[in-house]
C-alpha cells in the first residue's frame, strides 16, 4: 500500500502542489539535477565554471561588497579565469557577513529575498538571504541526494529532527499535521528528547513503522544506546539517514546493529541545505557539485591527522545575497576515489565535524573531535562523555558513569588521551548524572571554546 501512495504522491500530488499551487520550478530543477549527476567529472567542471563566471560578473556589477573588496586587491572579474584563480579570492566568514550585511545584497534583488538565521553555535546567530530559484534548487538537490539512500518523496518516513519548542497556534499546528501527512512522514522533536522520555520515542517508531528514518546523529545514537541497553529490537526500516552532525564509524556500526538497516551519511548546513550525501555504495559522500562549488582549504596550519580541511562553499544560483567562498565552520576530508555508481559528482571521504569541535594541543596541533569518539570506544564503563576545552593547556571531561566505573576508568581515559595530546595537557574529570543536548538538539562530544 505504501508503494501505491508513493507513486501517487510523486506523480500527482507533489507536482500539483509544487508546480500548480505554489508555481515553483522544483520539479524541473530536480529533473536537471538527475541528468547532471551522470555527467563526467570534466563535464561537471565545465558546467560549474560556466555558472561561476556568470556569478562573478554579477557580483562585480551588482554587489557593493565584492566590487569594493576586489578593487582593494587590484582584481576584476576578468582576472579570475579558472577555479584555481577563484580559490585565491578571500574567504568569506561570519564576521564579514555581519559587518557587511547590507553591502552583500545585489542591488536589483533588494526587497525580493527570503531570509533564514543559523542557530549560532558561537552564540552569535547569522542571518542570510536567498532567492526563490536558489531555494527551489536546494530542495531539488535534497530530494536527489536522499533518494540515493532510498528516501524518496512520498515514502513513509520518520524524522527525528529539530523543531520549534514554542507553542504553535491551533491553525498552524493543523496545517503542519496536514503537510507532514501529505508527505507521508512522522515528526519527532529531537529538541525535547531526554533520559525520561526515551520510551515514548521508541514507541513512536513502533507505531509509525517507517520505511526510512532520518535524524540528527546524536539523538539517533542516544536512542539506539537505550534500545540496546533495554534489549529491545525496534521496527526495522529500509534505511537510516544521519544528518546535522558528523557520523563516525562506531556510531554507524551501533545504528546498523540496533535498527538492522544500512545507515547513510548526509551533510548539509542551514546556509545551503544539502551539500553532500552517500549513495548506495557508501564509498564517500557525493557533493552537489552542479549546484554548489565546494572546496576544502587549510585555513589554520598544522591539522593533526593530515588531510582534513575547512569546508568552503559557494552557492552557484543565489544571485540575491551571494556568499562567495563562505567558510561555514565545518571540516571534511577529501577523497581521491571515484564511486562505483558512475556518478561524476566528486566525493568527500568523510565529514570530520565542526571546527568548533576541534581541540588544540599545547604544541599547537588541531585534534579533530572524531578522535574523542575513538578514544572512548573501548571505555565500556562510561555511558556518555563530553570533552570541553576552555584553556589552551587543559581539558574538562564530563562523564556519565556506568557499571564498573572507578579510578581505573579515569586512568584508562587519561592514558588514551595522553597518547595523542601529551602529558602537558591538564585533564580535569567531572562525573555527572547526564549530559544534555545543546540548544540545537545536538550532542557534541568535543567542544572548543578557545578563540
Amino acid at each position: 500500500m505504501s508503494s501505491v501512495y508513493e507513486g501517487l504522491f510523486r506523480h500527482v500530488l507533489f507536482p500539483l502542489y509544487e508546480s500548480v499551487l505554489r508555481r515553483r520550478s522544483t520539479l524541473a530543477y530536480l529533473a536537471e539535477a538527475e541528468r547532471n549527476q551522470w555527467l563526467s567529472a570534466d563535464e561537471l567542471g565545465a558546467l560549474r565554471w560556466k555558472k561561476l563566471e556568470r556569478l562573478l560578473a554579477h557580483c562585480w556589477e551588482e554587489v557593493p561588497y565584492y566590487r569594493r573588496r576586489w578593487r582593494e586587491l587590484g582584481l576584476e572579474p576578468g582576472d579570475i579565469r579558472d577555479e584555481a584563480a577563484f580559490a585565491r579570492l578571500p574567504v568569506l566568514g561570519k564576521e564579514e557577513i555581519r559587518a557587511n550585511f547590507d553591502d552583500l545584497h545585489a542591488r536589483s534583488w533588494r526587497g525580493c529575498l527570503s531570509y533564514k538565521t543559523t542557530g549560532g553555535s558561537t552564540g552569535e546567530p547569522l542571518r542570510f538571504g536567498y532567492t526563490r530559484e536558489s531555494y527551489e534548487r536546494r530542495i531539488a538537490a535534497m530530494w536527489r541526494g536522499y533518494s540515493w539512500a532510498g528516501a524518496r518523496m512520498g515514502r513513509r518516513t520518520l524524522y527525528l529532527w529539530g523543531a520549534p519548542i514554542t507553542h504553535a497556534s491551533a491553525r498552524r499546528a493543523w496545517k503542519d499535521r496536514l503537510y507532514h501527512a501529505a508527505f507521508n512522514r512522522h515528526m519527532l522533536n529531537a529538541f525535547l528528547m531526554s533520559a525520561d522520555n526515551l520510551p515514548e520515542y521508541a514507541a513512536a517508531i513502533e507505531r509509525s513503522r517507517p520505511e526510512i528514518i532520518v535524524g540528527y546523529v546524536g539523538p539517533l545514537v542516544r536512542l539506539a544506546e537505550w534500545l540496546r541497553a533495554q534489549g529491545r529490537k525496534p521496527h526495522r526500516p529500509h534505511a537510516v539517514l544521519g544528518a546535522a552532525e558528523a557520523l563516525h564509524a562506531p556510531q554507524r556500526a551501533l545504528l546498523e546493529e540496533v535498527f538492522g538497516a544500512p545507515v547513510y551519511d548526509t551533510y548539509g548546513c542551514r546556509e545551503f541545505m544539502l551539500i553532500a550525501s552517500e549513495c548506495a555504495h557508501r564509498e564517500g559522500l557525493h557533493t552537489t557539485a552542479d549546484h554548489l562549488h565546494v572546496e576544502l582549504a587549510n585555513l589554520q596550519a598544522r591539522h593533526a591527522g593530515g588531510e582534513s580541511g575547512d569546508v568552503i562553499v559557494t552557492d552557484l544560483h543565489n544571485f540575491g545575497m551571494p556568499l562567495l567562498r563562505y567558510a561555514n565552520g565545518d571540516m571534511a576530508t577529501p577523497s581521491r576515489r571515484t564511486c562505483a555508481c558512475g556518478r561524476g559528482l566528486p566525493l568527500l571521504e568523510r565529514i570530520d565535524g565542526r571546527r568548533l569541535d576541534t581541540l588544540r594541543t599545547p604544541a599547537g596541533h588541531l585534534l579533530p573531535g572524531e578522535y574523542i569518539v575513538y578514544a572512548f570506544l573501548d571505555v565500556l564503563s562510561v555511558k556518555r562523555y563530553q570533552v570541553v576545552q576552555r584553556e589552551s593547556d587543559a581539558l574538562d571531561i564530563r562523564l556519565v558513569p556506568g557499571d564498573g566505573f572507578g579510578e581505573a576508568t579515569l586512568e584508562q581515559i587519561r592514558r588514551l588521551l595522553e597518547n595523542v595530546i601529551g602529558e602537558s595537557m591538564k585533564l580535569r574529570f567531572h562525573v555527572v548524572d547526564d549530559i544534555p543536548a545543546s540548544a540545537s538538539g545536538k550532542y557534541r562530544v568535543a567542544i572548543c571554546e578557545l578563540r
Side-chain angles (χ1 to χ4, degrees), residues 261-289:
V263 174
Y264 296 85
D265 198 6
T266 70
Y267 170 56
C269 65
R270 193 163 173 79
E271 295 91 327
F272 306 107
M273 291 181 62
L274 188 70
I275 297 174
S277 51
E278 288 184 318
C279 71
H281 292 270
R282 296 189 291 174
E283 296 179 354
L285 293 90
H286 290 283
T287 60
T288 57

Side-chain angles (χ1 to χ4, degrees), residues 58 63 104-107 109 113 129-131 317-322:
H58 171 79
V63 185
L104 278 164
H105 286 70
R107 287 191 296 265
W109 280 93
L113 300 182
Y130 55 94
T131 63
H317 303 102
N318 186 4
F319 284 73
M321 186 179 173

Side-chain angles (χ1 to χ4, degrees), residues 152-186:
R152 301 180 296 271
M153 63 175 68
R155 205 166 190 191
R156 190 168 63 253
T157 303
L158 181 138
Y159 279 81
L160 181 53
W161 207 253
I165 298 177
T166 55
H167 181 69
S169 67
R171 185 170 183 271
R172 178 67 189 181
W174 179 83
K175 286 179 65 177
D176 285 346
R177 284 196 297 270
L178 183 63
Y179 181 77
H180 292 311
F183 274 83
N184 203 11
R185 60 192 179 201
H186 182 77

Side-chain angles (χ1 to χ4, degrees), residues 71-323:
R71 277 179 167 170
E72 291 171 355
L73 298 171
L75 291 174
E76 294 187 6
D79 299 326
I80 308 167
R81 298 178 180 176
D82 53 31
E83 289 188 7
F86 179 75
R88 291 193 288 271
L89 289 177
V91 170
L92 184 68
K94 292 178 172 62
E95 289 302 321
E96 287 83 6
I97 295 174
R98 292 188 186 100
N100 300 277
F101 184 79
D102 289 336
D103 282 351
L104 278 164
H105 286 70
R107 287 191 296 265
S108 60
W109 280 93
R110 291 181 182 274
C112 303
L113 300 182
S114 298
Y115 291 89
K116 285 185 179 180
T117 303
T118 65
S121 301
T122 61
E124 298 179 89
L126 178 73
R127 190 166 180 254
F128 57 93
Y130 55 94
T131 63
R132 178 175 175 143
E133 178 186 352
S134 175
Y135 175 76
E136 291 167 2
R137 287 185 179 274
R138 293 174 188 191
I139 296 296
M142 182 272 291
W143 280 121
R144 179 184 66 178
Y146 276 25
S147 72
W148 297 338
R152 301 180 296 271
M153 63 175 68
R155 205 166 190 191
R156 190 168 63 253
T157 303
L158 181 138
Y159 279 81
L160 181 53
W161 207 253
I165 298 177
T166 55
H167 181 69
S169 67
R171 185 170 183 271
R172 178 67 189 181
W174 179 83
K175 286 179 65 177
D176 285 346
R177 284 196 297 270
L178 183 63
Y179 181 77
H180 292 311
F183 274 83
N184 203 11
R185 60 192 179 201
H186 182 77
M187 307 296 293
L188 296 179
N189 195 340
F191 293 173
L192 299 178
M193 179 182 280
S194 68
D196 294 332
N197 62 17
L198 284 169
E200 298 172 23
Y201 283 76
I205 292 177
E206 293 307 309
R207 286 195 304 270
S208 61
R209 303 188 66 78
E211 297 175 281
I212 304 292
I213 295 176
V214 181
Y216 288 1
V217 171
L220 280 174
V221 167
R222 188 169 196 186
L223 181 58
E225 289 172 340
W226 182 84
L227 288 166
R228 184 171 66 176
Q230 297 295 314
R232 293 176 58 169
K233 285 290 184 182
H235 165 76
R236 180 175 181 174
H238 290 286
V240 177
L241 280 69
E245 303 164 76
L247 175 67
H248 303 301
Q251 297 169 323
R252 190 197 295 261
L254 169 68
L255 293 173
E256 291 188 341
E257 173 195 339
V258 172
F259 288 103
V263 174
Y264 296 85
D265 198 6
T266 70
Y267 170 56
C269 65
R270 193 163 173 79
E271 295 91 327
F272 306 107
M273 291 181 62
L274 188 70
I275 297 174
S277 51
E278 288 184 318
C279 71
H281 292 270
R282 296 189 291 174
E283 296 179 354
L285 293 90
H286 290 283
T287 60
T288 57
D290 52 337
H291 168 57
L292 304 172
H293 182 46
V294 181
E295 309 168 65
L296 296 181
N298 285 337
L299 302 181
Q300 190 165 334
R302 293 193 293 180
H303 288 261
E307 298 180 351
S308 179
D310 297 87
V311 177
I312 312 294
V313 185
T314 301
D315 186 329
L316 300 172
H317 303 102
N318 186 4
F319 284 73
M321 186 179 173
L323 302 183

